[in-house]
Amino acid sequence: MNKTKFVVRVAMCVALLIAGQLALSSVSGIEIVTVMLLSFCWCYGVRHGIAIATTFSLLRCFIFGFQINVIVLYLMYYNLFAIFFGWLGARLTGKNALLKTVIATASAVIFTVLFTLLDDVITPLMFAFSENAAKVYFYQSLAAVIPQTICTAVTVSLLFHPLTKVIKKINY
C-alpha cells in the first residue's frame, strides 16, 4: 500500500472517531468509539489500528484537553485494543458473520471493563491518591462502567457487522 493511501485512511478513521466521540460526549456512558475503532482495526489490521489509535489518542486532546492521565490511559488502552482486534480480525477471516459478531462483542465488553480498571490504576498512581481516595475513585468508576459495558454490548452487536461490511466495500 502506498504511503499516501495509508495516511489518508488513518486520517479519515481518526476524523470519524473524533466526530463520534464529540457528538456523544455530553451523554455519560454512551459512546461509539469502541465499535468504530474495533471495525477499523478488524478490517485494516494491526499496523493501521496502531496508527489510528495513537493519532486519535493524541489529537482528541485538542478538543477535550490535555490531561496527562487520560493521554497515558488512551495511549496504553487503545494501542492494546488495536493490536488485539487487528490480530483477531486477521484470524477470523472467512468465518460465519454471527460467530465473528459474538466474538467481537464479547471481546469488546471485556476491553470496556479493562479500560475502567486501567484508569482505576493509572489515575490514582499519577496523582498520588491516598489508599482511601483510590478506593473511592474505584467505586465511583463502577457507576460509569455499567452503562458503558451495556452500550458496548448493544453497539457492537448491532453495528459491527454492517460497519465492517461498509468499510470493506469502500476500501479507500
Side-chain angles (χ1 to χ4, degrees):
M1 161 179 292
N2 80 39
K3 293 174 187 175
T4 304
K5 188 172 183 178
F6 178 83
V7 170
V8 169
R9 184 180 283 170
V10 169
M12 292 296 294
C13 292
V14 170
L16 289 168
L17 289 171
I18 290 174
Q21 188 176 41
L22 184 59
L24 296 173
S25 64
S26 64
V27 186
S28 179
I30 305 299
E31 58 91 22
I32 197 82
V33 170
T34 298
V35 69
M36 290 172 62
L37 181 59
L38 189 159
S39 299
F40 296 146
C41 295
W42 192 281
C43 293
Y44 297 138
V46 173
R47 180 172 170 252
H48 278 84
I50 289 172
I52 294 165
T54 301
T55 306
F56 168 72
S57 297
L58 297 173
L59 287 181
R60 66 169 296 285
C61 297
F62 287 100
I63 296 170
F64 298 102
F66 290 85
Q67 299 165 328
I68 190 65
N69 60 317
V70 175
I71 295 168
V72 170
L73 173 65
Y74 271 54
L75 286 171
M76 289 176 65
Y77 173 78
Y78 281 120
N79 279 292
L80 288 171
F81 186 97
I83 291 166
F84 178 78
F85 284 105
W87 170 82
L88 190 61
R91 297 298 169 271
L92 295 180
T93 55
K95 300 288 186 206
N96 177 307
L98 179 61
L99 176 66
K100 289 192 283 191
T101 300
V102 168
I103 291 171
T105 302
S107 299
V109 165
I110 292 167
F111 263 88
T112 300
V113 173
L114 176 64
F115 178 85
T116 300
L117 294 176
L118 196 56
D119 179 46
D120 290 340
V121 171
I122 290 172
T123 299
L125 283 176
M126 293 192 80
F127 292 117
F129 285 7
S130 69
E131 186 177 332
N132 286 338
K135 286 179 185 176
V136 169
Y137 189 79
F138 170 77
Y139 289 121
Q140 286 183 335
S141 73
L142 295 178
V145 77
I146 293 167
Q148 285 176 337
T149 304
I150 293 167
C151 177
T152 296
V154 171
T155 57
V156 175
S157 64
L158 294 177
L159 299 176
F160 169 73
H161 181 67
L163 273 174
T164 54
K165 209 170 173 181
V166 167
I167 291 167
K168 288 178 181 177
K169 194 173 217 173
I170 293 172
N171 196 22
Y172 55 86

